[in-house]
Amino acid sequence: MEKIAQEKYVQLENVNMTFYTKKGTFEALKNINFSIREGEFISIIGHSGCGKSTVLNLIAGLLHPTEGNLFCAGREISGPGPERAVVFQNHSLLPWLTCSENVYLAVERVFGADEGKANLQQRTKAAIDLVGLAHAADKRPNEISGGMKQRVGIARALAMEPKVLLLDEPFGALDALTRAHLQDELMGIMAKSGCTAVMVTHDVDEAVLLSDRIVMMTNGPAATIGDILDVDLARPRKRLELAEDRHYNHLRSEVLKFLYERHARKAA
Amino acid sequence: MSSVSITKEDIKTIMKSEQTIVTAVAAPKPVAAPRPSALALKSRAFFQWLLPPLFGLLLLGAIWTLIAHQSPNLPGPMPTWHSAVELFKDPFYRNSLNDQGIGWNIVASLERVALGFGLAALVGIPMGFIIGRFQFMSRMAAPIIGLLRPVSPLAWLPIGLLVFKAANPAAIWVIFISAIWPMIINTAVGVSKVPQDYMNVAKVLNLSEWKIVTKILFPFVLPYMMTGVRLSIGVAWLVIVAAEMLTGGVGIGFWVWDEWNNLNVEHIIIAIFVVGIVGLLLELALTSLAKRFSYE
Ligand SMILES: Nc1ncnc2c1ncn2[C@@H]1O[C@H](COP(=O)(O)OP(=O)(O)OP(=O)(O)O)[C@@H](O)[C@H]1O
Ligand SMILES: [Mg+2]
């Protein structure tokens, strides 16, 4: 029983997702089946519009599947919950709150019932320190750079001590240098916290570098899982060493082949 | 930091050499206009800012004088000015209930506006939040607002008189009912425009309804709300003059009516200016308040 719970910590069973809009129905996802082990880092990769965010939002509980079931830690996902924290694509910080107030809002909600104010502030500070933003804690989101905003978003999610961290293209809007830096930081943080993570990405290198498994999605409509790639590279991983690594490059080309040969995007 | 130290002197020489280059380039031009000083630029900008409105006011005065010349009953700017000086020498006298200084009349009108408008804000803003937040409420309110909003404010006066059986509450009621719509509507529009991203944050964090209102809706909606408040106060001030003409008592509107009965046209013109200036000041005060509250 214990074993199953760990093997299938997050589970998607025959999930179909159809959107009903004014223009008619749109079948976005069809027959999604996969499960995630506890502590595993999963990437979801696929062409734009295939339904990656939809999968993530289903796990987050922001969307409900048209058919099928989703489970987390053995319980059906019926809505959003603090045990599944989300780092949004566009950081989604509240512009009228400072960085630490943004984090505090989350901390207060999760731990406010059991802990005093001092404790909550301590947690907030710890989360801000973890992402290296102590110097910007009292700044508003519009006063800091894009990379810093994204870090606050990560701090907010991590401060909730979630069981599952859901990231929707967390570094998509950043320049290559900042992205690499934050990827390294995220790897360190995940190694420390040991929480399960699902990340949506467009970036093949990012997927291979960070993940234990890569879920590759076919193009929509009615997108589904085309293949799942095991990334059996030892941790901790070093970006520079991996650049030369033959197995790394093999995995990388596997993903590229999937995206550009087997499921090339039809010209728009 | 660096071993090469640049002194202020160096910078000055660098700047100077640059200046000489500039003048050297400019020199061949036939007439090199001398650069105006900062003070001259500032004063020029000031006059450019001041002159158009000044011309506007002068034009108004000119038209007024012209019309006053044609019609013997209408006093021109100068007699009105003298009358105003006389009037404002003692704005706060009190002879009887119906004979008080213009100051008291303005205060009485402002009090009514404050009461009616305050009540409208107290009811309208929360209603706007509820209507914006819940689809059901919005659908429910739509026909009521659609039906009642276009009604001329003064049409509500008889209802007020009937229900309250007194002139003063009836006037406040008219202010209330005419000032409430912009606040409801603008607040509701603001709430419905809250980005889905923020609401997703609220959902993921599982925020309570109270936290959603105080931490997300209220800060976001504030600028919209302030627009509504500004429109409302404008409407309230517009309506009070008309309402007081009908209800009587003390107040700037009643004062206008009274002066009309006395055939004191100068005072009527003064009242028009007073109403305009007070309205302008209210608007300005609320605009600066709105600026203070915006988070950007
Ligand atoms: N609320 C919705 N209503 C209707 N259609 C939707 C809705 N959300 C998503 N879709 C459609 O579902 C498909 C998948 O959308 P999704 O946002 O999951 O794509 P994505 O893979 O995340 O794309 P991107 O990489 O560009 O972010 C798209 O075709 C989109 O138009
Ligand atoms: Mg997406």
Side-chain angles (χ1 to χ4, degrees):
Chain A
M1 190 63 208
E2 182 85 338
K3 186 95 178 111
I4 292 169
Q6 278 176 5
E7 278 298 309
K8 301 189 167 180
Y9 194 64
V10 177
Q11 201 181 345
L12 287 79
E13 260 182 20
N14 303 320
V15 169
N16 287 9
M17 186 74 215
T18 305
F19 290 109
Y20 298 95
T21 59
K22 282 176 196 146
K23 286 184 199 147
T25 58
F26 179 80
E27 193 177 24
L29 299 176
K30 189 161 184 175
N31 246 333
I32 302 276
N33 277 296
F34 81 106
S35 47
I36 302 169
R37 281 191 292 277
E38 190 168 9
E40 201 175 19
F41 195 114
I42 295 279
S43 284
I44 303 177
I45 202 165
H47 290 288
S48 183
C50 70
K52 305 181 294 294
S53 298
T54 308
V55 172
L56 203 77
N57 289 338
L58 282 166
I59 301 176
L62 289 170
L63 291 175
H64 297 285
T66 325
E67 276 171 57
N69 298 299
L70 292 105
F71 301 92
C72 175
R75 289 178 42 195
E76 177 142 30
I77 296 173
S78 59
E83 82 279 4
R84 282 164 283 124
V86 184
V87 177
F88 294 92
Q89 184 161 2
N90 49 2
H91 65 74
S92 294
L93 300 176
L94 301 176
W96 40 84
L97 300 181
T98 64
C99 296
S100 59
E101 284 167 348
N102 264 291
V103 176
Y104 188 84
L105 192 65
V107 171
E108 189 185 30
R109 183 59 197 162
V110 180
F111 303 104
D114 313 321
E115 294 180 17
K117 205 161 184 181
N119 247 350
L120 300 179
Q121 269 157 359
Q122 186 54 42
R123 281 178 181 277
T124 305
K125 196 178 166 315
I128 296 263
D129 287 349
L130 186 68
V131 295
L133 278 182
H135 62 286
D138 294 325
K139 288 194 172 157
R140 298 264 176 94
N142 60 1
E143 296 168 332
I144 60 177
S145 72
M148 290 158 88
K149 277 181 226 172
Q150 209 48 267
R151 279 196 244 179
V152 180
I154 294 172
R156 177 171 65 185
L158 288 172
M160 298 163 73
E161 295 192 350
K163 297 198 178 106
V164 182
L165 186 64
L166 303 169
L167 307 110
D168 193 351
E169 297 187 39
F171 312 129
L174 305 178
D175 64 280
L177 283 176
T178 313
R179 194 187 311 159
H181 184 67
L182 285 184
Q183 285 164 356
D184 291 343
E185 266 180 21
L186 184 64
M187 270 197 288
I189 290 168
M190 296 311 291
K192 258 189 261 169
S193 71
C195 82
T196 312
V198 183
M199 178 179 72
V200 167
T201 182
H202 272 136
D203 184 335
V204 177
D205 288 292
E206 180 171 278
V208 180
L209 182 68
L210 295 177
S211 323
D212 296 313
R213 281 191 297 158
I214 302 176
V215 172
M216 296 179 283
M217 290 184 61
T218 63
N219 292 327
T224 188
I225 295 175
D227 211 344
I228 298 182
L229 184 74
D230 258 304
V231 184
D232 44 356
L233 295 166
R235 287 179 191 270
R237 297 174 184 168
K238 294 267 185 302
R239 146 189 330 273
L240 283 178
E241 288 164 21
L242 285 177
E244 311 278 320
D245 190 291
R246 278 191 53 201
H247 189 50
Y248 172 86
N249 282 310
H250 168 73
L251 292 168
R252 194 174 169 277
S253 63
E254 286 291 307
V255 182
L256 286 172
K257 271 185 206 151
F258 178 91
L259 288 176
Y260 298 106
E261 277 178 22
R262 287 162 59 191
H263 294 278
R265 197 172 164 69
K266 287 153 233 121
Chain B
M1 246 183 72
S2 81
S3 54
V4 189
S5 68
I6 299 176
T7 63
K8 270 188 185 165
E9 248 51 53
D10 289 328
I11 294 172
K12 264 188 198 158
T13 37
I14 292 166
M15 302 252 283
K16 256 187 208 153
S17 59
E18 250 175 21
Q19 262 177 7
T20 44
I21 292 168
V22 171
T23 37
V25 172
K29 278 190 183 165
V31 208
R35 221 154 185 265
S37 71
L39 189 70
L41 277 177
K42 246 188 206 160
S43 59
R44 188 197 285 174
F46 177 71
F47 280 114
Q48 272 170 359
W49 171 78
L50 183 71
L51 281 182
L54 210 64
F55 278 138
L57 287 176
L58 281 177
L59 186 69
L60 182 68
I63 294 173
W64 179 9
T65 314
L66 215 71
I67 296 173
H69 259 290
Q70 301 303 315
S71 89
N73 289 335
L74 190 73
M78 279 334 278
T80 310
W81 174 253
H82 291 307
S83 169
V85 169
E86 195 60 36
L87 191 66
F88 279 96
K89 257 185 195 154
D90 184 16
F92 290 104
Y93 72 87
R94 237 181 210 152
N95 286 342
S96 70
L97 198 64
N98 286 335
D99 184 14
Q100 302 190 17
I102 182 151
W104 289 122
N105 283 290
I106 296 173
V107 168
S109 294
L110 281 175
E111 264 172 21
R112 279 188 200 110
V113 165
L115 255 170
F117 167 81
L119 286 173
L122 228 55
V123 177
I125 290 171
M127 252 169 88
F129 270 100
I130 293 169
I131 288 173
R133 185 91 179 86
F134 303 105
Q135 182 83 36
F136 182 84
M137 291 296 180
S138 149
R139 300 272 308 277
M140 201 172 101
I144 305 176
I145 295 177
L147 190 75
L148 298 187
R149 194 173 65 115
V151 175
S152 162
L154 289 184
W156 294 106
L157 189 61
I159 306 282
L161 286 170
L162 203 74
V163 172
F164 299 108
K165 300 192 170 52
N168 201 35
I172 293 167
W173 152 254
V174 171
I175 299 297
F176 170 84
I177 198 77
S178 50
I180 199 169
W181 309 117
M183 285 192 279
I184 294 182
I185 291 166
N186 279 280
T187 308
V189 164
V191 173
S192 68
K193 284 213 172 127
V194 171
Q196 190 55 42
D197 286 344
Y198 298 160
M199 296 319 288
N200 277 346
V201 171
K203 277 191 205 154
V204 167
L205 299 187
N206 228 332
L207 295 181
S208 61
E209 192 63 33
W210 172 247
K211 280 275 171 192
I212 292 178
V213 169
T214 54
K215 295 286 175 178
I216 297 181
L217 294 186
F218 192 76
F220 181 84
V221 171
L222 204 61
Y224 292 88
M225 218 174 81
M226 287 312 291
T227 306
V229 165
R230 242 177 49 216
L231 291 174
S232 283
I233 199 105
V235 170
W237 189 243
L238 264 176
V239 168
I240 189 68
V241 178
E244 284 171 350
M245 279 184 174
L246 295 179
T247 59
V250 194
I252 191 73
F254 168 71
W255 194 77
V256 171
W257 197 245
D258 205 33
E259 297 304 318
W260 167 241
N261 286 334
N262 300 340
L263 274 179
N264 192 336
V265 186
E266 280 152 18
H267 280 186
I268 293 176
I269 295 174
I270 292 166
I272 288 172
F273 275 102
V274 166
V275 168
I277 289 166
V278 172
L280 192 68
L281 289 179
L282 285 175
E283 168 89 25
L284 282 178
L286 279 169
T287 310
S288 69
L289 194 72
K291 264 196 199 131
R292 178 93 71 81
F293 273 123
S294 88
Y295 60 87
E296 267 147 4

